[in-house]
Amino acid sequence: MIEELDIDGGYFHNIRAFLEIPQRKGPFPTVIICHGLTANPVYPVDSHPIYRSISNRLASDGFLTVRFNFTMNVDEDIASFHIKSEEHDLKKIIEYLLDDKRVDKKRIGAVGHSFGGTILLLIAHESKKIRAVATLSPKIELGEAYSDHPLHQEAQEKGYFTHKDSNDVEWKISKEFFEENFKHNKKLKKAIRKIKAPLLIVYGTGNPEDATEGEAIKDLARHAETLAVEGENHQYTNTLGGLDTATKKVVEFFRINLLER
């Protein structure tokens, strides 16, 4: 069963969230699912198969899952959001779950894809309630090395950069995205070193940038477990079994660290 929620206090507006609830009695071990750069800001439940696949399998194993929209402000077709806003929204989701009687407060985990993984890595050490953390192709290089990226150059010239979401819809994203993110570059790496909870890093070998950043996270958090999915791209849509391999690993990780411990 999927329950739609409208949660007060998002950075730009209320947070639209979706709970997938198992067909059994709670309270339930719970996993928060954090979407990537834009995903689908209207309806993330079906915005990309990776979120749907992870949520469905976790729910069938008895987990309550939470998929939600990071909030954004859209002015004259230009969307504004960044690390600070998404960090705020994720904390609001955690805050909400701690007041929900259906949630087992001792068994909460979170998984993030791409920029959603970045946000999760930034705040994971701050909350003792997050008992297990999984990331798929997270981005952690936000500093000077990224200033030469074509998207950053476009943002400097136009005041925004263009990005296609998982539904192949093109978005204009304010240059504030980069300006705010750069401020968190050193903070993010320090935050990763402080993560004590079990940590899983999944990336595809078909994307050299993802592979490099995945191994960089491993260097910062030596206890982390990694899975390199052969030939996969950033979206896990490149090989026949890549998405299934990533999904199974994430579900197994939460089963071991939230159910068996």
Side-chain angles (χ1 to χ4, degrees):
M1 179 182 76
I2 292 180
E3 177 181 321
E4 184 174 343
L5 299 173
D6 189 55
I7 298 174
D8 293 337
Y11 191 89
F12 290 110
H13 47 74
N14 287 357
I15 302 170
R16 193 179 188 196
F18 306 86
L19 273 58
E20 187 162 358
I21 306 166
Q23 297 297 319
R24 60 188 77 175
K25 186 177 180 180
F28 304 103
T30 298
V31 175
I32 304 165
I33 300 173
C34 304
H35 68 71
L37 189 58
T38 53
N40 183 337
V42 178
Y43 196 64
V45 166
D46 291 313
S47 65
H48 189 285
I50 198 166
Y51 312 124
R52 186 167 61 250
S53 177
I54 290 173
S55 183
N56 292 168
R57 291 200 186 188
L58 283 170
S60 68
D61 275 5
F63 289 86
L64 183 153
T65 69
V66 186
R67 286 172 279 182
F68 68 99
N69 289 111
F70 285 109
T71 62
M72 60 170 65
N73 183 50
V74 181
D75 184 21
E76 296 183 355
D77 295 327
I78 298 177
S80 293
F81 62 96
H82 40 67
I83 274 189
K84 186 177 179 180
S85 67
E86 297 202 355
E87 179 184 18
H88 172 93
D89 290 349
L90 179 52
K91 288 179 179 179
K92 281 293 178 182
I93 292 293
I94 296 170
E95 185 180 302
Y96 173 85
L97 292 175
L98 294 177
D99 284 333
D100 193 317
K101 293 181 180 179
R102 294 169 294 185
V103 174
D104 184 339
K105 312 304 187 293
K106 295 182 179 180
R107 299 177 186 273
I108 299 176
V111 55
H113 171 237
S114 191
F115 196 60
T118 302
I119 306 305
L120 184 53
L121 290 170
L122 181 65
I123 76 156
H125 73 284
E126 296 180 9
S127 176
K128 294 181 180 179
K129 294 297 182 180
I130 302 297
R131 302 297 177 89
V133 177
T135 61
L136 299 113
S137 306
K139 312 306 293 181
I140 67 162
E141 181 49 65
L142 306 173
E144 292 181 4
Y146 206 72
S147 63
D148 293 330
H149 195 284
L151 294 182
H152 181 254
Q153 296 298 320
E154 181 186 9
Q156 294 305 303
E157 294 170 7
K158 301 179 180 178
Y160 64 85
F161 66 95
T162 52
H163 170 78
K164 285 188 177 181
D165 68 17
S166 55
N167 289 317
D168 211 30
V169 176
E170 189 170 89
W171 287 83
K172 296 177 182 178
I173 301 175
S174 170
K175 67 177 183 179
E176 183 184 11
F177 176 84
F178 287 110
E179 293 170 350
E180 186 63 42
N181 290 357
F182 286 167
K183 299 175 185 177
H184 289 77
N185 191 50
K186 291 182 179 179
K187 181 181 177 182
L188 174 58
K189 292 176 176 61
K190 289 179 180 178
I192 293 170
R193 290 190 181 97
K194 294 179 181 178
I195 296 174
K196 302 300 182 184
L199 175 60
L200 172 67
I201 307 156
V202 181
Y203 60 85
T205 64
N207 186 314
E209 185 177 306
D210 286 350
T212 298
E213 297 209 39
E215 291 304 316
I217 297 169
K218 174 68 174 177
D219 289 341
L220 295 170
R222 296 302 180 95
H223 72 292
E225 179 183 0
T226 60
L227 172 66
V229 185
E230 191 64 33
E232 261 308 341
N233 58 16
H234 188 70
Q235 300 290 349
Y236 298 87
T237 57
N238 198 45
T239 67
L240 184 61
L243 176 60
D244 189 59
T245 297
T247 299
K248 284 181 177 178
K249 183 62 178 179
V250 169
V251 173
E252 176 191 32
F253 172 78
F254 286 121
R255 190 185 300 121
I256 291 170
N257 290 289
L258 295 181
L259 295 183
E260 298 178 9
R261 287 192 175 185

